Amino acid sequence: MQLAKEIVSQINSSLVSKPEAAVLQLPEKVLQFGTGVLLRGLPDYYIDQANKAGLFNGHIVVVKSTNGGDTDAYAKQDGLYTHCLKGIEGGKLVEAYIINASISRVLTAATEWQQVLDCAVNPVMEIIISNTTEAGLVLHPGDRITGTPPVSFPGKLLAFLHHRYTFFNGAAHKGMVILPTELLSGNGDILKRIMLQLAKENELDESFLQWLDTANHFCNTLVDRIVPGRLSAIEQKNTEALLGYSDELMIMSEPYGLWAIESASQQVKEKLSFAGLSNGCIVTNDIHVFRELKLRLLNATHTFVCGLALQTGFATVKEAMDNEAFYLSVARLMQEEIIPCILSETISAGAADDFAASVLDRFCNPYIEHNWVSITLNYTQKMQLRCVPLILAYYRQAKSIPRQMAELFASFLLFMKSSKKEDGSYHADFKGRELLLQDTSAAYFYNCWSENSTAVQLVGTVLGNINLWGEDLGKLPGFAEAVAVHLLILANQTGQEFIKKAGTAVEGIG
């Protein structure tokens, strides 16, 4: 049998969490632009959980903006889908299966635009969620709200809000809480600026611009959950057999989740009543603390260690973390060198330790195949934005060499050693395995390796590149020497040997 409202009561498996009949009849309170798995695996998850707890009591109308794919499965399954949560939490293996009943229907913007606009006149519609990728949060010059539909996401949103403004005669209490989840810092602020500019280009009246600016709440948000999406064919078949029904919309995610929403408005907090049920969904005056924890302990750790992982022969994060020496080196990097750099009035040692523990759990997830190669995309830029600020912070605080960061910077330099192909591309060679360098600085590092005959010269050239790092890293006491020593060691050892000896090679330097 296929998942749908009419068969929910017939599902006998005790493994799956099912919605009560009342949850299937809730009013529509949310308009969501996007059908992607991140939205279904994170915001829609928290709304579903709140509905089942009797806290939010509202359904989501999903707007499909792209032309690819169809919405037949949503119609056949009444918007229901199974969410499989699999991974490690608190050091323990977690598997859970939840029938998510948060979505009432899916509308295709290209063919059902009037029905989307009709949602604007729903008096209990209060919230808009979006994830249109970073490319969606851009101004599209010439986009008109009279289009059917407008071309861009901001154009569609502006048309929706203008229709609502007109219908409710500009009532201030009919403004919306707007939650963009695109992966851009200050995403709410960015969207609001675009909207105000687009409203002026559409020559909308001043009273509407005032309503747009003051009656609507554009909130900055931060989302964090790995949602690979659809299961493999064999996993899908096995899970359907386990649960006793078929589901074309089934998705999988890790257990960890974070949806941090920035707002000081009590009105916003009341409307977002789904927040607070879980520690993972939070409305707070300032999301900086969550952004900093994620950027430094999750993203920077990934960036620091990925070159060494590949040089050691590990293809996936999980494979690397199964190696005890590698696991301990990652844990030591976070505890000894990263956490001391990020503690502040807003980030406590306890919060940092808890987040670091969750990162280790996530890295060890046996159900997610996270390839190290994917982390090396724009490796230099990631090193610049995520890791170099930590190196500088460590020097300011400890006044000494961050030994593990120096080791890992050396592994980054070795990773960027490449050969140039006839087509102009650059490839790194790891024991006969070629990896394409997808990095705008690949040519620079190719030239550095070609023009500098010794490790000391190479390190000095790279660290002294102010245009690359923002300042001369060669002036950091002992850092260049430490990096050069580790570069020589790593070039002449296997990654496994290097990991085991990490932390001892430059004893006494500085």
Side-chain angles (χ1 to χ4, degrees), residues 27 75 118 148 154 370 422 433 465:
D118 289 343
T148 55
H370 196 174
E422 291 183 0
R433 180 191 179 198
N465 190 332

Side-chain angles (χ1 to χ4, degrees), residues 59-371:
H59 270 143
I60 303 167
V61 179
V62 175
V63 179
K64 183 178 180 298
S65 296
T66 58
N67 294 324
D70 58 52
T71 61
D72 290 349
Y74 289 95
K76 285 190 292 186
Q77 297 186 186
D78 301 311
L80 302 178
Y81 62 94
T82 308
H83 185 172
C84 311
L85 291 98
K86 295 185 175 186
I88 296 176
E89 198 169 38
K92 297 180 180 179
L93 201 62
V94 171
E95 283 193 44
Y97 304 91
I98 300 164
I99 294 177
N100 188 304
S102 64
I103 295 175
S104 59
R105 54 189 170 132
V106 177
L107 300 174
T108 302
T111 58
E112 298 173 299
W113 182 240
Q114 186 55 52
Q115 293 182 53
V116 175
L117 291 180
D118 289 343
C119 293
V121 306
N122 176 355
V124 299
M125 186 71 69
E126 296 180 324
I127 299 164
I128 293 173
I129 302 172
S130 73
N131 193 299
T132 58
T133 76
E134 297 84 280
L137 291 193
V138 294
L139 179 66
H140 193 290
D143 201 5
R144 309 302 296 177
I145 67 169
T146 53
T148 55
V151 175
S152 66
F153 160 60
K156 293 179 179 70
L157 178 56
L158 185 62
F160 178 91
L161 292 175
H162 188 262
H163 193 65
R164 186 172 180 85
Y165 165 84
T166 302
F167 184 85
F168 290 108
N169 297 314
H173 68 285
K174 291 303 179 184
M176 306 286 287
V177 177
I178 300 163
L179 308 172
T181 65
E182 289 79 2
L183 300 179
L184 291 171
S185 180
N187 45 22
D189 296 334
I190 292 170
L191 180 56
K192 184 174 183 177
R193 286 196 297 270
I194 293 170
M195 295 288 288
L196 289 170
Q197 179 62 33
L198 193 57
K200 292 177 182 176
E201 289 190 8
N202 275 261
E203 299 178 335
L204 302 177
D205 60 71
E206 286 296 326
S207 59
F208 170 73
L209 271 89
Q210 180 71 13
W211 180 85
L212 178 64
D213 184 28
T214 60
N216 297 275
H217 300 269
F218 292 82
C219 302
N220 295 323
T221 76
L222 175 67
V223 292
D224 186 12
R225 171 173 270 176
I226 299 174
V227 189
R230 293 184 63 85
L231 284 67
S232 68
I234 187 63
E235 289 175 320
Q236 178 85 15
K237 181 180 179 180
N238 291 340
T239 304
E240 289 181 341
L242 179 70
L243 302 181
Y245 60 87
S246 61
D247 181 356
E248 297 178 32
L249 299 171
M250 186 180 295
I251 63 169
M252 189 271 278
S253 80
E254 63 177 339
Y256 178 87
L258 173 66
W259 188 16
I261 302 166
E262 188 172 80
S263 179
S265 167
Q266 187 59 38
Q267 179 187 9
V268 168
K269 293 177 181 179
E270 289 172 0
K271 289 183 177 181
L272 304 184
S273 56
F274 52 78
L277 176 66
S278 164
N279 290 334
C281 186
I282 303 159
V283 182
T284 179
N285 293 0
D286 186 356
I287 63 173
H288 170 76
V289 58
F290 301 102
R291 189 176 303 283
E292 188 71 1
L293 287 170
K294 178 179 183 292
L295 179 63
R296 305 308 178 192
L297 284 171
L298 177 69
N299 302 136
T301 300
H302 256 158
T303 301
F304 264 128
V305 303
C306 69
L308 182 58
L310 287 166
Q311 289 149 14
T312 308
F314 299 128
T316 68
V317 174
K318 171 61 169 56
E319 183 184 356
M321 296 300 284
D322 282 343
N323 179 284
E324 183 180 6
F326 192 92
Y327 179 99
L328 291 174
S329 69
V330 172
R332 192 171 65 246
L333 171 68
M334 288 193 288
Q335 286 294 334
E336 296 180 1
E337 294 189 2
I338 295 180
I339 287 179
C341 294
I342 64 175
L343 298 182
S344 65
E345 292 182 0
T346 57
I347 299 179
S348 67
D353 288 342
D354 288 346
F355 195 88
S358 75
V359 168
L360 291 173
D361 282 345
R362 298 172 74 185
F363 285 3
C364 292
N365 191 335
Y367 298 104
I368 293 178
E369 189 173 286
H370 196 174
N371 293 308

